[in-house]
Amino acid sequence: MTGSTRRLRTVPLALLILYTVFIGLVTLTPNQMDTGPGSFIAGLLEFLASHRVTAWISFDILEKLANVGMFIPFGLLVALQCGRSRWWVGWVAGIAFTCLIEGTQATLLSPTRFATISDLVTNSLGAGIGAVVGLVVMRIWPPRMDRVPVDHEVR
């Protein structure tokens, strides 16, 4: 593995680790995000409701969009780490990770968190979108080959 290829694999791996920790902190802490009056989410929903184009976005829709959006980078980073031939692992890893999250919420965090099928579906959809985006990126942006000619002649 050349130095540039090693760097290209190391960056997505580091981002993947950090992003996985981020998802864990968001989804596996005992308390949910504050949605009460005066919270960021309440302010955002109020702002969206005040505009005709976005007035249709309710809390449920915003939550589903956020779930999809949260797992797109995860699927993308896993796909980039696995490469073109195994891009689909980003989707499978996203499904496995969301099953782990929802299972933990249903068992260990059940007094304060709620595991739902819609979370499983939207998280998996986001990971799948991210994995496909990763495949497209890898097809459009092929790995850089070293321009140094190799001397195959034995002397």
Side-chain angles (χ1 to χ4, degrees):
M1 189 180 285
T2 66
S4 63
T5 305
R6 192 174 305 118
R7 276 193 303 276
L8 287 175
R9 293 249 179 188
T10 304
V11 171
L13 179 60
L15 290 174
L16 176 61
I17 291 168
L18 290 172
Y19 199 73
T20 303
V21 169
F22 167 75
I23 291 174
L25 290 173
V26 169
T27 60
L28 296 174
T29 54
N31 298 322
Q32 293 187 22
M33 292 182 71
D34 184 17
T35 58
S39 69
F40 171 76
I41 294 172
L44 177 61
L45 286 169
E46 187 177 316
F47 172 79
L48 294 172
S50 68
H51 294 82
R52 192 169 11 137
V53 176
T54 56
W56 58 273
I57 300 176
S58 65
F59 176 79
D60 289 337
I61 292 172
L62 184 65
E63 180 186 26
K64 286 174 180 43
L65 290 172
N67 284 346
V68 171
M70 182 170 59
F71 270 79
I72 289 174
F74 182 81
L76 170 69
L77 292 169
V78 172
L80 290 177
Q81 185 62 34
C82 292
R84 267 192 246 181
S85 62
R86 292 181 301 168
W87 65 271
W88 51 269
V89 174
W91 195 359
V92 173
I95 293 169
F97 190 31
T98 195
C99 285
L100 176 70
I101 289 167
E102 296 304 311
T104 303
Q105 287 179 347
T107 55
L108 301 176
L109 301 172
S110 61
T112 57
R113 296 291 237 170
F114 304 100
T116 63
I117 296 296
S118 70
D119 284 355
L120 182 75
V121 170
T122 54
N123 293 350
S124 299
L125 178 63
I129 291 169
V132 169
V133 169
L135 175 63
V136 169
V137 166
M138 288 183 284
R139 294 263 185 216
I140 292 172
W141 188 15
R144 193 179 93 187
M145 301 305 237
D146 290 338
R147 304 279 189 243
V148 179
V150 177
D151 186 10
H152 294 288
E153 191 174 314
V154 178
R155 296 182 186 179

